[in-house]
Each structure stands twice: as C-alpha cells, then as structure tokens.
Amino acid sequence: MLIRQNRLGESPEREVTDPSLYRRRREFIRDLGVAAGLLVLPGCGRAEDAGASGPGSSGSVRPVRSPDGFTTAEAQTPFEDASSYNNFYEFGSDKDDPAENAGSLVTRPWSISIEGEVARPGTISLEALLAGTPVVERIYRLRCVEAWSMVIPWRGLPLRDVLARFEPTSRAKYVAFRTLLDPAQMPGQRRPVLDWPYREGLRIDEAMHPLTILATGMYGRDLPAQNGAPLRLVVPWKYGFKSIKSIVSIRLQEAQPETSWNQAAPSEYGFYSNVNPDVDHPRWSQKRERRIGDFRRTRTLPFNGYAEQVAQLYSGMDLRANF
Ligand SMILES: Nc1nc2c(c(=O)[nH]1)N[C@H]1C(S)=C(S)[C@@H](COP(=O)(O)O)O[C@H]1N2
Ligand SMILES: [Mo]
C-alpha cells in the first residue's frame, strides 16, 4: 500500500488553522465562481440541510435526557465550526474538503448489515434500527489525535442497545465497523490514501460501555454528511479517528479486527488509542490540546476526561504498550 506523507496527524497543534479561516476561504472561492458566472453549488446546497426531514430528524424522535451524568457542561463548539472543520478522508484530506464535497453522499435510504457472532444476523434499514432503539442526547468532548478538540451535542443510539437486538454470542470478543465503499459518492476513495473502506474496531466491553453511541444527529438536527451521516460511531474517551463515520457494516467477531489507521501506520495509531497525555505521538506531544473556535490551549486529560467511567476497562493493562 502506498503511504503518502500527507495523512492523519500531519497537522499537530501548532499548525491548526482556525475553522473561520477555512470558511472564509470557501466563501471566497464560491464568490469567485459566482463572479465568473460559473455554477457553483455549495452556497445553495449545503450538505447539512440534506435529509433534515427524513426519519430520525429532530421532529420524529423524542430524545430522553441522559440521566447518567455523562454529559459535559463545557461550552459547546459552534455548529458552524463542528460542521466545517472535519476529518473525513473519503472526501479529501484538507479540513474544509468534507464540508465542500460530502454533498455527493446519498444517506437515504441507508441500511446496515450486522454480521458474524450474533444469533440474529441480517441487514436492517436505518428506519427500522431507529424504531426499535432508545435515543439519547449527550454532550461529549471529541479529542482528535492531531491535538485539537471540540465539544459536540450528539443525538444517538447507545451501541449496546443496538447490539443487544442482534443477540451477540459468547464468541463475540470484538466489534468491527466498516464505512461505505463507493468511489462514485466518495471521491477521496479514488486515491490510495488509506486501504478503503475505512475500518475501525472496539473490544466488546468498550462497545457495550454506556458512553459508546451510534450518533444520528448533532445540535438537535440530523448529522451533516461531513460529520458522518447517517450513522457514525462516537467513543469519547478515544482519539477521534476511532469514531468511524457513515457505517454500513457492524461485525461481531472473536479476533481483534484490522483497523485502517493502525494498518497504515502501526507505530503512530494503536488499536486502543485511548486519549493519553502521557503517551506522545511519535511526532508530537499529546499533553495539550486546542479547543476549536477558541484560542486557549488546555491540558489533555487521561481518557479525555472520562477516566472515572472507563479506566477500569483497562485495569492491569500496560497503556504504553497498548497505546
Ligand atoms: N470513515 C471515516 N471516519 C472518520 C474519519 C475518516 O476520515 N473517515 N476521520 C476520523 C477522525 S480523524 C476524526 S477526528 C473524526 C472527526 O469527526 P467530526 O468531523 O465529526 O468532528 O472522525 C473520524 N471518523
Ligand atoms: Mo482525528
């Protein structure tokens, strides 16, 4: 596999560009197109408007407030930043590429196949999945391995409630996730930046942890395509790349799954990838982070601040070896 130099993690903290600069650049390019009489669509077909009235939109579900204290009270990242400064390599490797290009992703109809070590495998439509699973709203920190972070209000389904519907067998030790593979809709897949489709994985106890959700929305609306519509994982104590977007397959299995970034650069991106300020990335420190939309830098917390809830999952494990 060709591993290009320009890949995840090439922009450590000092190179983080403020999202408003990206937005201005995009608007500038759009205005240029308008001035030149070209038909340029982003201004009238913003991806986040797509599907706003579809199943799972804020009008059709009644989210329950999470009673579990998992929600952070920190200031939320503005929606404009969270939906314009993204990593979604299927739509390009610059932070503004996904917002620019993800309009080509068709998110309805959508179905997910649940495979492997389950008593009831099969393919289920997104509507059917939503109909039978409780919906929660949670405000989580998201900490990218590139040392920036956001605070995002998600709407989603606890993964454990989703998996329970398919009855995992006793041999289900891990869960493997796969993103859609379709270079026609995902132009970034025409280049071998990663070994497509994007794949991620969790140990079964991580997947069953109540913090782990499959998000369908954010900021009270359906997910914008660039944020992983119509269904993406959110595992808030792990680096952002574990939170795989636009999922089409969930496979329960006995063996630890191959994951895309670990496969591309195993010394840089571990299978676990729990947020850990004491284990630096080989090319930069993980001690601090920059909150997007804010100029202040803050200390990165072990497990991204969720140690109380998840540290016991790793008791007895060497977190330097299992980074
Ligand atoms: N399929 C897919 N999922 C992905 C990525 C990607 O490139 N492709 N990028 C990951 C990374 S590196 C991060 S930080 C988060 C970003 O999520 P956000 O854009 O919603 O903030 O998505 C993750 N999920
Ligand atoms: Mo990331």
Side-chain angles (χ1 to χ4, degrees):
M1 190 193 107
L2 172 66
I3 299 180
R4 297 194 323 155
Q5 273 309 300
N6 179 17
R7 60 173 186 237
L8 180 70
E10 255 215 340
S11 332
E13 191 178 8
R14 63 191 154 74
E15 290 172 23
V16 169
T17 307
D18 197 270
S20 63
L21 295 179
Y22 275 92
R23 267 207 307 284
R24 258 180 276 145
R25 206 183 94 199
R26 237 187 16 253
E27 282 157 14
F28 177 70
I29 291 166
R30 186 183 70 215
D31 292 347
L32 271 184
V34 170
L38 301 171
L39 182 64
V40 185
L41 288 173
C44 48
R46 288 191 57 122
E48 61 261 35
D49 298 332
S53 58
S57 68
S58 37
S60 63
V61 290
R62 197 186 296 273
V64 289
R65 285 274 160 205
S66 89
D68 43 31
F70 290 161
T71 280
T72 177
E74 286 165 284
Q76 294 175 20
T77 301
F79 172 81
E80 289 68 28
D81 292 343
S83 59
S84 66
Y85 188 86
N86 302 101
N87 276 333
F88 199 168
Y89 277 51
E90 286 86 340
F91 297 102
S93 48
D94 285 344
K95 296 289 182 279
D96 56 348
D97 285 339
E100 188 84 354
N101 301 327
S104 55
L105 181 66
V106 179
T107 59
R108 297 287 194 284
W110 192 272
S111 55
I112 301 102
S113 68
I114 315 276
E115 308 158 17
E117 292 295 342
V118 284
R120 298 155 47 78
T123 299
I124 185 167
S125 70
L126 185 62
E127 288 81 357
L129 194 66
L130 286 167
T133 319
V135 174
V136 294
E137 281 185 333
R138 304 265 180 76
I139 305 171
Y140 283 162
R141 283 180 290 277
L142 179 101
R143 177 30 166 102
C144 179
V145 73
E146 297 165 331
W148 50 265
S149 61
M150 301 196 194
V151 176
I152 298 180
W154 301 105
R155 185 181 70 216
L157 315 174
L159 179 60
R160 64 175 180 177
D161 294 324
V162 170
L163 295 181
R165 291 179 60 173
F166 302 89
E167 299 172 21
T169 74
S170 60
R171 282 198 298 273
K173 302 285 187 341
Y174 292 90
V175 186
F177 302 87
R178 220 166 5 92
T179 294
L180 177 70
L181 176 64
D182 184 355
Q185 293 183 62
M186 296 179 145
Q189 290 179 336
R190 295 172 205 159
R191 292 161 165 233
V193 180
L194 285 171
D195 183 15
W196 311 112
Y198 195 103
R199 284 151 297 126
E200 259 307 333
L202 296 173
R203 218 169 55 187
I204 191 76
D205 57 339
E206 300 174 323
M208 294 301 219
H209 193 281
L211 274 172
T212 306
I213 62 170
L214 286 174
T216 57
M218 63 183 214
Y219 300 83
R221 58 181 102 181
D222 281 2
L223 279 181
Q226 60 268 34
N227 291 90
L231 192 72
R232 60 89 59 87
L233 188 65
V234 183
V235 199
W237 71 94
K238 293 178 178 286
Y239 290 120
F241 67 86
K242 297 292 292 182
S243 292
I244 179 174
K245 296 175 169 179
S246 306
I247 295 167
V248 294
S249 157
I250 300 177
R251 173 179 284 275
L252 290 94
Q253 56 189 58
E254 189 145 32
Q256 181 176 308
E258 290 272 17
T259 59
S260 295
W261 283 109
N262 179 251
Q263 211 172 27
S267 64
E268 301 186 29
Y269 312 108
F271 174 78
Y272 284 94
S273 283
N274 295 317
V275 174
N276 190 344
D278 298 326
V279 177
D280 289 340
H281 185 277
R283 292 182 280 132
W284 62 86
S285 166
Q286 295 290 24
K287 286 207 183 322
R288 299 175 73 78
E289 66 199 57
R290 197 173 76 90
R291 195 52 62 80
I292 293 299
D294 197 339
F295 291 101
R296 126 196 106 95
R297 288 179 182 192
T298 58
R299 273 172 46 232
T300 288
L301 298 170
F303 299 104
N304 199 26
Y306 301 93
E308 204 180 306
Q309 290 95 326
V310 301
Q312 82 283 353
L313 297 178
Y314 310 100
S315 61
M317 269 177 74
D318 177 353
L319 297 179
R320 285 186 177 277
N322 297 285
F323 62 91

